[in-house]
Amino acid sequence: VGAELHYGDRDVNETLRDLKASFRPSMLLSAASHPPPAELQRLFQESTMSGSESSSLSSRVEALKTRQNARLMTGWIGRAMPSVADVMLHKRDRVMANYLRTKCRQGKVVAVVGLAHVD
């Protein structure tokens, strides 16, 4: 095909470092005062009631892998823990967008991103 492959995401160690630095104990209170949307709570409850703990976690993760649920999750995290959303989503979005603009300037580009980065 002759295509080039680029990894345009932020380095995982930088993201983890910033995530650790962004954590404040007050975030727990903020998260508690901003419960997840009812649709997400329902998904968690349904998957918790069925099967073993490991299959329950797997089913919860799989249930979240829809565009609508990803929007709900990212919106909730943005309200409940804005510094986490900034590190995990917004900073990485900026890095990926900048990489695409500067490194992939000619021809057609296909970008593969996770659901949380689509919108």
Side-chain angles (χ1 to χ4, degrees):
V1 173
E4 293 181 26
L5 178 64
H6 296 269
Y7 179 77
D9 200 350
R10 189 167 188 233
D11 181 84
V12 66
N13 293 317
E14 291 176 19
T15 299
L16 291 173
R17 182 195 66 229
D18 286 355
L19 189 59
K20 183 178 177 182
S22 75
F23 182 79
R24 302 284 180 267
S26 61
M27 289 171 53
L28 299 175
L29 292 173
S30 177
S33 66
H34 294 89
E39 298 94 328
L40 291 179
Q41 289 183 24
R42 183 181 48 74
L43 283 171
F44 291 143
Q45 288 171 349
E46 287 174 359
S47 62
T48 301
M49 290 187 285
S50 63
S52 69
E53 190 172 315
S54 62
S55 68
S56 179
L57 175 60
S58 175
S59 67
R60 277 184 267 179
V61 170
E62 288 304 313
L64 288 173
K65 291 182 180 179
T66 69
R67 196 146 178 200
Q68 178 183 349
N69 290 338
R71 280 187 195 123
L72 289 171
M73 181 64 80
T74 57
W76 170 61
I77 290 172
R79 288 185 303 278
M81 298 172 278
S83 61
V84 170
D86 186 52
V87 171
M88 295 299 296
L89 298 169
H90 309 307
K91 278 187 178 181
R92 291 176 60 217
D93 285 346
R94 288 189 297 269
V95 167
M96 288 185 273
N98 183 57
Y99 188 91
L100 288 170
R101 280 193 298 271
T102 59
K103 303 291 185 197
C104 305
R105 299 182 75 120
Q106 294 181 335
K108 295 180 182 180
V109 174
V110 174
V112 178
V113 298
L115 275 175
H117 301 280
V118 172
D119 290 327

